[in-house]
Structure formats: structure tokens, C-alpha cells
Amino acid sequence: MKEHARYFWAYLPALGAFGCAVGTLSADRNLSGITLVLWGVWSLVVTFFVVRTILQERSKDEFTTRQLLQAQKMATIGEMASGIAHEVNNPLAVIGREVEWIQELLKESPPPDPQAQREIQESLHVITAQVTRCADITHRLLDFARMNKPVLQWVDLNNLIEEMVRLVERVTKTKTVTFERHYHDNLAPVWTDPPLLRQVVLNLLNNAVQAIDREGTVTVSTRDDAKGWVDIAIADTGCGIAPHHLPHLFDPFFSTKAPGKGTGLGLAVCQKIVTALGGLILVDSKEGCGSQFTVRLPRRPIETRKTFE
Amino acid sequence: MASPTARILLVDDEERFRTTMGKLLRKRGFAVEEAGSAHEALVRVQQGDVDVIVLDVKMPGMDGIQALAKIKTLDPLPEVIILTGHANVDAAVEIMRLGGYEYLLKPCPIDDLVVKIEGALEKKKAREKVLRA
């Protein structure tokens, strides 16, 4: 209703008609007064629907503009990122080699002080670990920038998801996380790219587990409520997302995790993949109560329908 | 440990990386030669007697993939291991198509490289046996 208020001028004719009607009725000229009332009601209804259509179109426009901007942002960042990642990889490789050489030298002629030797070894281990961490980031960046074109095939979603859930279940040892499954029985197969989709599901599951502090539940469900679409929902009872973080959720390098725990690329990659698969990701979150990420995939992406049928 | 006569040619434009890798490989009993560019490498390959070539993909001038193709036309015998900054299916397919032995993700631990070099040596020996027979 608030939005309609912005279009108050469109309602002026209707209100004018009512005004005249009141005028004529009070002047006791019955017939034309009723006509005017009817005219007023009619133009009120027409204006309401016209304004509603305009508003819907505008929000649709805004949505596509936002999506377009996001896609452009991704492309630019992707290009920059792959350049930087390649440049950073070389010095990383040099550092790694030098560490290995120092370790080699230490093995041959260890320093006399055992304490010093231990500390040097420890430092070298830290350097190696940090180089590995950086390499992980650069490789993820390159993955992000150069995602291969999806290779589509018929996939049993429940199966694919269950594999990933089991994987995450196995590695989640430090917390008490209950995994609940609500798979839709007889879910029809989906025409999609299994490795890419696995990456998405794994990423979302990892996020869900990481959002849980010590104890909680991760609920995984599949649905096919909307015709031609399949939903994969992954919900957790974790920390939730602060409302002011929501607009940046899918931005590359945006992360609220502790340093070293996340690269800020997980959700960006997920979105990129899901978009390439013709779907979208819906987010529903309440700070302190948990979040739900829903991946909505077309049973069959539109491009392939054009090509193959 | 590989046989002491195994000759490795390292090709990388990053000098410090190349020399340190050379030192590490020599420690493990390989005879190591170095080349700072694809052209230098081609000159060396023409002289013959190289068992395994470790080739960086990103080099100014001629890149590793082009160099691989040229090397294989000059002398198909040496096995080539490619060091790349990124795992990429297309590049991997291209490398295999051109007759490369294997590719490794940079940065990689020297031990991984040694394993690959030994594998390459074995493959080369097997091929030479077939050629002689």
C-alpha cells in the first residue's frame, strides 16, 4: 500500500469523481450522482490494477539490473583475481623451495643448540603451512575465475546430496551436529552437472556446520514444489546472518569467519555455479536462530532444451 | 633413489626457483641442468642426452605448452613434466595430447616432483626397451 501512495496522482481522477459525486449528491441531483460514484469506483479499481502492474514491472526490472550488476562484478573480479593468483603463485613456489633447501641443509649440519634447532624447524613448518594456505587461496581464486562450462547429465539429486552429507558427517567430530534428512521420495532426476553441484552442496553443508557453535541440527531436504524446479534446502540452527551482512553474502572475499577459516569465496563460487546451471540461491536467515540456503534448480536448463529438442 | 645417470633439465624463468630446485634434485642424486627460457631448453634438447625435462608453463616468450610441442618434434625421447599454476582440464588434455608425461600444480613439495620424475624415468626406460627390441 505504501508504494501505491507514491502514485497518488494516478488516483486523482477517481478521487475527483468521488468529490463531484459528493457535490452532486449533496445538491440533490440523484441520478448523475450515482453515475459519478460508479465512475469513481470503476476508475479506482482500474487505477489500482494499473499501478500494481507498474510496480511489479519495476521490481522485476530492479531485480534483473541487480543480477546484471552482480554478474559484471563477478566477471571483473574473476579476471583480476586470476591475474593476481598467477602472479602470487610464483613467489609462493620460490618460498616453498627455499624452505625445503634450508630443511635439507639443517639435516646435514644441524645447529649445536638443540633448542635452536627445534625452533628453526618449527618456524620452517609454519612457513610451509602458510605457503600451503596461500596456495589454497590462489587455487580457489583460479577455480573461481575459470569455471568450466557445465557438462550436463541426468542426476539423482537425493543420492548426490546423501554422498556429501555422509562426507561432512564423517569429518564433523569436534561438535555435536545432528544431520536430519527430509528427502522427497521419487524425486525425478535433474539434468545438471554433478561435480559442480557436489561442490555447491559441500560448500553449503560446510557453512552450515561452521555456523553451529557446539551443538545443533543441520536439516537437508529436497522438494519439487514448483513445477519444473527442484529445491535443495540446507538449514542449520547456528549463529544466523546479521541483516546488514545479507547484501554482501555472495560477494567474493566477503567473510565473517575467523582469519584462515574461510577465503570468502565459498558462496561466491556457489552462486556462480548455480547461475551457470540456470538456478538461483535463496537465503532465509534469522540472527541467532539459524539460516536456510535453498538451491533452486531447473529440472532442465533452458539452453539445453533449445539445443536438444 | 634414481640411477645416478638420470639427467634432468629444469626450465623456468624464475632463476632462484630453478637454482634451488636444482640443488634439491642434485642432493637426491640426479644430474641436473638448467635453462632460463624455452629457447635455451630447445638448444639443450638438440644436443641430446636428456632423460626428463621439468617445464614451467608460464614463461615470457615461448610458454611451456608451445615448448613441449617443439621439444617433442625435436626429440620425442625425453619425458616432459609440466609445472603449472592451476589445474585445468583443457590444459591437462592439451599436455597429454602433445605427449607430456604429467603435470604438477605449483607450488608443490619437492618429494612429489621426485616421485613424478622417477615415474617418468621408468616410462622412458620401458619405451627405450621397446624401441631397441
Side-chain angles (χ1 to χ4, degrees):
Chain A
M1 262 335 187
K2 220 174 169 184
E3 289 88 4
H4 282 257
R6 278 197 311 196
Y7 286 85
F8 72 95
W9 47 266
Y11 288 97
L12 285 180
L15 294 175
F18 276 123
C20 287
V22 170
T24 42
L25 281 177
S26 58
D28 215 19
R29 275 182 286 161
N30 254 337
L31 192 74
S32 58
I34 286 164
T35 325
L36 276 169
V37 168
L38 287 176
W39 168 248
V41 170
W42 184 76
S43 54
L44 199 65
V45 170
V46 168
T47 319
F48 178 80
F49 281 107
V50 168
V51 170
R52 202 177 68 167
T53 321
I54 291 172
L55 285 173
Q56 274 173 353
E57 284 303 314
R58 283 191 66 167
S59 73
K60 244 191 260 170
D61 264 7
E62 267 169 41
F63 183 68
T64 43
T65 315
R66 264 214 311 273
Q67 276 198 321
L68 194 68
L69 281 176
Q70 181 76 9
Q72 282 171 346
K73 195 158 81 182
M74 291 292 179
T76 319
I77 289 173
E79 242 167 69
M80 267 179 58
S82 78
I84 295 168
H86 266 303
E87 289 308 314
V88 172
N89 252 346
N90 274 329
L92 279 181
V94 177
I95 296 170
R97 279 288 171 277
E98 297 301 321
V99 170
E100 283 173 318
W101 182 239
I102 296 172
Q103 280 171 332
E104 199 76 39
L105 292 176
L106 276 180
K107 240 189 265 163
E108 279 173 15
S109 44
D113 181 8
Q115 170 73 14
Q117 194 194 346
R118 211 175 314 126
E119 283 195 17
I120 293 172
Q121 288 289 5
E122 216 177 277
S123 295
L124 291 176
H125 272 138
V126 172
I127 296 175
T128 311
Q130 297 300 320
V131 167
T132 316
R133 176 174 157 195
C134 292
D136 185 47
I137 297 173
T138 55
H139 289 155
R140 267 166 170 270
L141 272 176
L142 288 165
D143 276 342
F144 171 71
R146 212 190 311 172
M147 199 191 65
N148 294 321
K149 242 185 136 226
V151 181
L152 304 175
Q153 55 179 279
W154 289 112
V155 177
D156 177 2
L157 272 193
N158 288 345
N159 232 334
L160 183 145
I161 295 165
E162 179 58 24
E163 274 172 37
M164 294 300 110
V165 173
R166 284 209 189 128
L167 189 73
V168 176
E169 219 171 10
R170 261 210 307 277
V171 295
T172 312
K173 289 269 146 63
T174 47
K175 315 174 193 181
T176 339
V177 179
T178 322
F179 286 87
E180 266 182 39
R181 285 112 160 142
H182 296 294
Y183 298 138
H184 186 282
D185 293 332
N186 312 320
L187 194 71
V190 176
W191 183 248
T192 194
D193 183 310
L196 289 179
L197 194 57
R198 267 190 212 112
Q199 206 180 330
V200 172
V201 174
L202 192 63
N203 243 317
L204 293 178
L205 282 171
N206 278 333
N207 280 352
V209 171
Q210 279 174 0
I212 290 167
D213 187 25
R214 242 178 260 129
E215 221 176 305
T217 314
V218 172
T219 313
V220 185
S221 43
T222 51
R223 287 187 294 263
D224 63 348
D225 299 342
K227 197 169 176 277
W229 297 82
V230 183
D231 284 359
I232 306 165
I234 295 167
D236 63 70
T237 56
C239 56
I241 302 158
H244 63 277
H245 284 155
L246 279 173
H248 306 292
L249 219 52
F250 295 102
D251 287 357
F253 308 113
F254 177 80
S255 179
T256 55
K257 293 176 190 168
K261 291 275 182 266
T263 52
L265 285 170
L267 280 178
V269 170
C270 283
Q271 198 192 35
K272 205 173 164 188
I273 291 176
V274 172
T275 311
L277 295 174
L280 59 146
I281 301 180
L282 307 164
V283 188
D284 188 11
S285 181
K286 200 170 170 202
E287 203 176 356
C289 297
S291 319
Q292 169 164 312
F293 283 79
T294 309
V295 177
R296 180 163 290 173
L297 289 174
R299 179 146 281 152
R300 223 172 160 180
I302 288 163
E303 290 94 327
T304 52
R305 243 179 253 159
K306 268 187 202 147
T307 341
F308 292 115
E309 285 180 8
Chain B
M1 197 58 70
S3 65
T5 47
R7 278 151 312 210
I8 317 289
L9 178 63
L10 298 181
V11 192
D12 200 313
D13 59 310
E14 190 88 45
E15 198 197 334
R16 185 71 205 194
F17 180 76
R18 195 177 68 229
T19 48
T20 309
M21 187 156 66
K23 285 193 270 186
L24 281 162
L25 289 175
R26 277 186 205 107
K27 270 264 177 306
R28 284 163 174 76
F30 297 105
V32 182
E33 286 178 55
E34 293 166 20
S37 73
H39 287 284
E40 263 180 62
L42 288 175
V43 172
R44 179 63 195 83
V45 169
Q46 257 174 335
Q47 292 163 9
D49 264 1
V50 180
D51 292 320
V52 178
I53 301 167
V54 180
L55 199 58
D56 186 32
V57 164
K58 262 197 112 180
M59 285 186 289
M62 195 191 300
D63 73 26
I65 308 275
Q66 288 169 302
L68 169 63
K70 287 243 166 92
I71 287 170
K72 285 285 166 183
T73 54
L74 276 178
D75 184 359
L77 267 184
E79 290 295 342
V80 181
I81 296 170
I82 302 266
L83 289 186
T84 163
H86 181 46
N88 173 293
V89 181
D90 296 337
V93 169
E94 185 68 5
I95 289 166
M96 297 302 154
R97 195 180 66 78
L98 290 170
Y101 171 71
E102 184 67 273
Y103 75 99
L104 266 176
L105 224 55
K106 231 177 165 181
C108 71
I110 194 80
D111 291 330
D112 290 3
L113 181 62
V114 170
V115 169
K116 292 277 149 73
I117 288 178
E118 278 166 1
L121 281 172
E122 250 164 60
K123 190 186 166 195
K124 192 184 174 233
K125 264 184 214 151
R127 268 201 317 169
E128 279 169 341
K129 233 180 237 170
V130 172
L131 281 177
R132 270 194 221 110

